[in-house]
Amino acid sequence: MNRKQKEEKINVLQSKLKESSFGILTDFTGLNVENMNSLREGLRDTNTEFNVVKNTLIKLAAKDTKFVNLETFFSGPVAIAFSNDDPINTSKVIFKFSKNNSKLKIKGGILNGKILTPQDIQTLADSPGRQAMLSRLVGILKGVQSNLVLVLNGVPRKFLLTLEAIKRQKEHK
């Protein structure tokens, strides 16, 4: 790869990193092409890009991005998964793949500028997905509305029951 190609690759990678809010760095030593393609296919469903990169190129591309904080992880074989989509789904795919294929090692990651350890990524992977969280939120909001309606209906109902009781009391006298 000549200098111009390297500069072009760095610029493309840097623009993708700037657009991304989330990334995971992995060590892929020992994975064959079939394994890598399988992982890429799984990540494609989460709108995540997965690239094997040279350390010198990723160091240069990470400058002026949130990913510069991951510089300590830019050693040895490095593949980076990055996305601007749901970090939970990406974490789930990579973590599940690493459990089934011990050759993929999660080095660390970044989420909105915060460095993530492999344990943080596991926590993300164990979290319920975006859809599940939204469903829970809708259920909570629906419950609040239902309770509010019941409370608001209770006041006039009690008032009417009180009037009815007074009416019966006056009829018996």
Side-chain angles (χ1 to χ4, degrees):
M1 191 181 310
N2 66 32
R3 183 175 176 89
K4 185 168 178 72
Q5 290 172 323
K6 286 180 183 177
E7 286 176 1
E8 187 176 310
K9 186 166 181 128
I10 289 168
N11 290 336
V12 168
L13 186 58
Q14 187 175 45
S15 69
K16 289 179 181 181
L17 292 178
K18 282 182 179 179
E19 293 171 5
S20 301
S21 62
F22 175 67
I24 297 177
L25 290 173
T26 62
D27 179 344
F28 61 93
T29 304
L31 288 178
N32 60 29
V33 173
E34 185 180 312
N35 295 136
M36 292 292 277
N37 288 337
S38 173
L39 178 57
R40 280 189 178 104
E41 190 175 307
L43 289 170
R44 201 170 295 128
D45 295 337
T46 66
N47 292 325
T48 302
E49 196 168 323
F50 187 74
N51 291 324
V52 173
V53 291
K54 290 187 176 210
N55 291 323
T56 53
L57 296 181
I58 190 74
K59 282 179 185 177
L60 292 170
K63 287 182 180 174
D64 301 326
T65 71
K66 298 171 222 152
F67 288 78
V68 73
N69 297 330
L70 293 175
E71 197 165 310
T72 57
F73 299 112
F74 299 151
S75 62
V78 173
I80 184 168
F82 51 91
S83 174
N84 202 22
D85 228 4
D86 187 7
I88 293 173
N89 290 336
T90 301
S91 298
K92 284 181 186 296
V93 171
I94 290 180
F95 190 74
K96 181 180 177 186
F97 186 88
S98 71
K99 280 178 72 174
N100 295 334
N101 198 325
S102 62
K103 292 179 181 174
L104 182 75
K105 305 277 189 263
I106 298 172
K107 291 183 167 190
I110 194 160
L111 178 59
N112 295 323
K114 182 184 181 286
I115 293 178
L116 303 174
T117 64
Q119 293 77 24
D120 294 333
I121 294 167
Q122 180 180 358
T123 301
L124 274 175
D126 293 339
S127 300
R130 184 174 188 269
Q131 291 296 59
M133 287 185 183
L134 288 174
S135 296
R136 286 183 187 176
L137 179 62
V138 168
I140 289 168
L141 293 175
K142 185 177 177 185
V144 169
Q145 288 176 338
S146 298
N147 288 340
L148 180 63
V149 168
L150 288 173
V151 168
L152 292 177
N153 279 341
V155 173
R157 187 172 358 121
K158 284 184 180 180
F159 179 69
L160 287 174
L161 289 174
T162 304
L163 288 178
E164 190 69 34
I166 291 171
K167 178 182 168 189
R168 274 188 264 127
Q169 194 177 40
K170 287 191 178 188
E171 287 176 353
H172 288 308
K173 287 186 180 181

